[in-house]
Amino acid sequence: MSAGAYAETPRTGGTIRFTAPYGSSFANLDIHTSNRAQDEIWAKAIHRALYNWDSNANKPVLDLAKAVEVSGDGLVYTYKLRDDAYFHNGRKMTADDVIWTYTRLMDGTKAFPGARYVRIIKGAIDVEKGQAKEISGLKKIDDFTLEMTLSEKVDPGFNFYAALTSIYPADEASKDSFATKPIGLGPFKFVEYVPGSRLVAERWEKFYQPGKPYADRVTVSIMGEAAARDVAFRNKEIDASILGPTQYVAYKADPDLSKGLLEVAEVYTRVTGFNPNFKPFADKRVRQAINYAIDSDLIIKRLLKDKAYRATSWLPISSPAYDKDMKPYPYDPEKAKKLLAEAGYPNGFEFEWTATSNESWGIPIAEAAIPMLEKVGIKVKIKPVEGTVLSEVARNGDYQAFNWSLTSGPDPLTSLKCFHSATPQSACNYTQFKNADFDKILDEATATDDPAKKLEGLKKANAILREEVPMWWFNYNKAIMAYQPWLKGLQPNATELAIQNYEDMWVDSSSPAAK
């Protein structure tokens, strides 16, 4: 059940006071350039994609299209687009805008993160490589009918619901002003952005869902520090807050605060990515040694206060392809030493660990692991960076090892493709993983129409990742959001709890920002 389920009639008016908790800034106001949840939090108010994520049904649903027909071979999707979706400049969205947006995302000179999703369209890779100017698999039938031909049999809903595939207005998005004053199709239109502080948006009267949004305004305050969010929440200055481990324990123990907690097993895997161009990490035995050397269970228990689930490989426990019989790497420093010696590092080595200040997967985690690694001879230097910088570091390969929380769902096939050798580092193959057996299994799983065979193949592919360990498999996130009693309509979004459909939310008259 979603928090604040509709036992009451939604109230109109007031301001939703939300927070962006994953850093001290937004990357910029072009959501196509960012794959950070921090930026999708504000983008969900202003933009919309072809599909949306239905958190209660836990699946993608059509959003900017009213209907879709699928060909018998499962490769051609014909969308009947909405004819009532207006951009915030007053113009109706048409098929031209969808085609322009997806073509923009495939600009190989820009390395847009969303390109990983558009690649399923026939001819998209040709545009990315500069061999074509148009995506051959996209065809405009009329202003509100779009034909999309895929290069493989997948459900495009899993590829086109995230904000980084938001549909832009073709005429406006090419102008320089768009980078500072975004124009979208969402329930709220942009008002102002104060860097490092907040983004404000107000109700869009022409939003295509009748009667929505309910609130007059949305403010998204940038609060990367857990202590700042805690003070603001207790002072009733914000309506919702993502909790870190320490806050989680404190809020659960509080008789009042514990009444407003929404808990979700997210499709995020916390990892350390290893750069294979850094010589020690090119050897699988070294990567395995690190997984044996770190007592992940102890860190989860002591540091994360059990606000996480132990990771076994890439796919999280909520994934349909998660193998419950797969075991995580046990804590075994002697095994780690043995593997290091076999790999030619009997005395260990030193590496640089790039991380942000995030308490759940950043520098505090690295600091907890350092003494464990030292026991097997591995020394570490931490390189602190901002969240916006971390994204660029991973995409450019400018690291020896990095700590991050990465989306590993909801669709296991789409998620596993981040490790296919055909997926570039700039998209999501951050560790430049290449394994012929993995590629073959994943290609076969993609091609089959047999659901059981597909699931079996995905589990095998995930098992290869466990064995090859391109990353330290740390944990799967248990997300906790605290919300005020006057905030209604929150959704249990397993793809990222901090990303909400603001049009479904409202505040009752007891809110300090009810007017």
Side-chain angles (χ1 to χ4, degrees):
M1 292 290 291
S2 60
Y6 293 106
E8 311 167 60
T9 301
R11 175 185 176 275
T12 57
T15 300
I16 296 169
R17 303 171 301 168
F18 225 63
T19 55
Y22 302 129
S24 60
S25 66
F26 294 134
N28 55 61
L29 297 186
D30 182 352
I31 190 58
H32 284 176
T33 68
S34 176
N35 59 348
R36 298 173 62 224
Q38 177 85 342
D39 299 302
E40 294 217 15
I41 293 169
W42 69 260
K44 200 64 174 175
I46 292 172
H47 293 296
R48 276 299 183 268
L50 185 59
Y51 289 78
N52 200 354
W53 186 257
D54 186 328
S55 297
N56 291 301
N58 209 34
K59 66 178 183 180
V61 294
L62 289 174
D63 194 1
L64 293 179
K66 294 180 177 180
V68 61
E69 292 183 0
V70 186
S71 63
D73 62 4
L75 291 175
V76 181
Y77 282 66
T78 304
Y79 294 93
K80 198 64 183 175
L81 301 175
R82 305 191 72 102
D83 58 4
D84 57 354
Y86 289 86
F87 287 108
H88 299 154
N89 62 356
R91 180 175 69 76
K92 279 189 180 183
M93 177 202 74
T94 70
D96 290 321
D97 298 301
V98 181
I99 293 171
W100 184 91
T101 295
Y102 293 161
T103 305
R104 179 191 198 232
L105 289 171
M106 293 312 300
D107 183 343
T109 65
K110 301 293 179 59
F112 289 114
R116 62 179 279 205
Y117 299 116
V118 184
R119 279 193 191 92
I120 65 167
I121 303 175
K122 183 180 178 181
I125 293 176
D126 295 332
V127 173
E128 184 178 41
K129 292 179 178 178
Q131 298 170 355
K133 292 184 178 180
E134 298 179 350
I135 299 176
S136 60
L138 291 177
K139 181 181 178 182
K140 174 184 174 181
I141 306 301
D142 58 45
D143 279 353
F144 302 106
T145 309
L146 174 70
E147 183 182 277
M148 180 189 294
T149 302
L150 307 180
S151 57
E152 55 193 76
K153 284 185 286 187
V154 295
D155 181 350
F158 289 103
N159 288 59
F160 299 118
Y161 75 86
L164 76 168
T165 64
S166 296
I167 304 304
Y168 280 4
D171 49 354
E172 293 292 333
S174 57
K175 297 177 182 178
D176 291 340
S177 59
F178 193 86
T180 55
K181 295 182 179 179
I183 297 170
L185 293 157
F188 294 87
K189 61 181 179 180
F190 175 80
V191 173
E192 69 168 352
Y193 170 48
V194 181
S197 177
R198 68 185 181 277
L199 183 142
V200 181
E202 64 185 12
R203 175 195 279 130
W204 173 232
E205 298 293 347
K206 290 186 175 182
F207 186 56
Y208 49 82
Q209 293 186 28
K212 296 182 181 181
Y214 302 116
D216 288 333
R217 292 166 76 88
V218 167
T219 62
V220 181
S221 298
I222 301 171
M223 291 188 174
E225 293 297 326
R229 294 196 305 276
D230 182 41
V231 171
F233 189 83
R234 291 175 183 271
N235 288 340
K236 302 179 180 179
E237 296 167 357
I238 57 176
D239 296 335
S241 176
I242 293 290
L243 301 186
T246 303
Q247 291 176 315
Y248 179 42
V249 173
Y251 281 47
K252 279 199 303 182
D254 187 292
D256 292 321
L257 295 177
S258 62
K259 295 175 184 177
L261 296 180
L262 181 58
E263 184 173 319
V264 172
E266 284 186 340
V267 288
Y268 273 81
T269 302
R270 273 73 183 272
V271 298
T272 293
F274 303 124
N275 191 334
N277 295 321
F278 177 65
K279 187 178 177 182
F281 293 152
D283 194 311
K284 176 175 71 174
R285 292 168 295 187
V286 172
R287 304 192 300 267
Q288 290 176 333
I290 290 178
N291 275 264
Y292 281 117
I294 301 175
D295 191 342
S296 300
D297 290 319
L298 181 64
I299 296 176
I300 290 171
K301 184 175 182 60
R302 297 281 179 84
L303 202 56
L304 300 188
K305 314 295 184 185
D306 286 323
K307 199 190 80 67
Y309 308 93
R310 178 69 194 280
T312 56
S313 183
W314 175 243
L315 295 179
I317 58 173
S318 53
S319 173
Y322 176 77
D323 187 349
K324 67 181 188 304
D325 296 324
M326 182 183 289
K327 303 298 182 185
Y329 278 76
Y331 175 56
D332 190 341
E334 292 307 313
K335 176 75 170 176
K337 288 179 183 178
K338 184 171 182 287
L339 286 167
L340 287 172
E342 290 175 1
Y345 300 96
N347 300 316
F349 61 95
E350 183 175 314
F351 74 89
E352 185 178 75
W353 205 341
T354 301
T356 71
S357 61
N358 188 284
E359 63 180 321
S360 297
W361 44 266
I363 291 173
I365 304 303
E367 290 175 337
I370 284 174
M372 302 173 186
L373 292 172
E374 286 181 343
K375 286 183 179 179
V376 302
I378 299 175
K379 295 182 179 180
V380 175
K381 286 183 179 178
I382 294 177
K383 182 181 180 179
V385 297
E386 271 290 325
T388 51
V389 176
L390 179 62
S391 175
E392 290 305 308
V393 162
R395 292 170 61 195
N396 295 332
D398 186 22
Y399 67 89
Q400 291 178 357
F402 69 81
N403 262 25
W404 209 358
S405 178
L406 296 170
T407 180
S408 48
D411 176 44
L413 177 59
T414 302
S415 177
L416 285 168
K417 283 192 175 178
C418 280
F419 296 91
H420 195 289
S421 62
T423 302
Q425 187 172 32
S426 60
C428 59
N429 192 359
Y430 304 123
T431 60
Q432 304 168 65
F433 185 71
K434 290 179 175 61
N435 182 283
D437 291 336
F438 179 90
D439 288 353
K440 184 173 183 291
I441 290 171
L442 205 59
D443 290 342
E444 290 173 349
T446 301
T448 184
D449 290 325
D450 185 332
K453 273 190 176 181
K454 185 183 290 287
L455 202 61
E456 181 185 359
L458 297 178
K459 286 183 178 181
K460 286 181 179 178
N462 194 48
I464 288 176
L465 292 179
R466 183 200 181 278
E467 171 67 19
E468 294 294 322
V469 283
M471 298 172 166
W472 165 45
W473 309 120
F474 179 32
N475 74 65
Y476 310 124
N477 185 37
K478 180 195 292 183
I480 314 292
M481 179 182 284
Y483 60 93
Q484 302 285 9
W486 53 77
L487 182 63
K488 314 294 182 178
L490 282 170
Q491 305 106 45
N493 185 1
T495 70
E496 169 55 65
L497 186 54
I499 298 173
Q500 295 283 321
N501 290 324
Y502 297 102
E503 69 272 20
D504 293 327
M505 297 162 61
W506 55 283
V507 293
D508 70 25
S509 57
S510 65
S511 168
K515 293 183 180 179

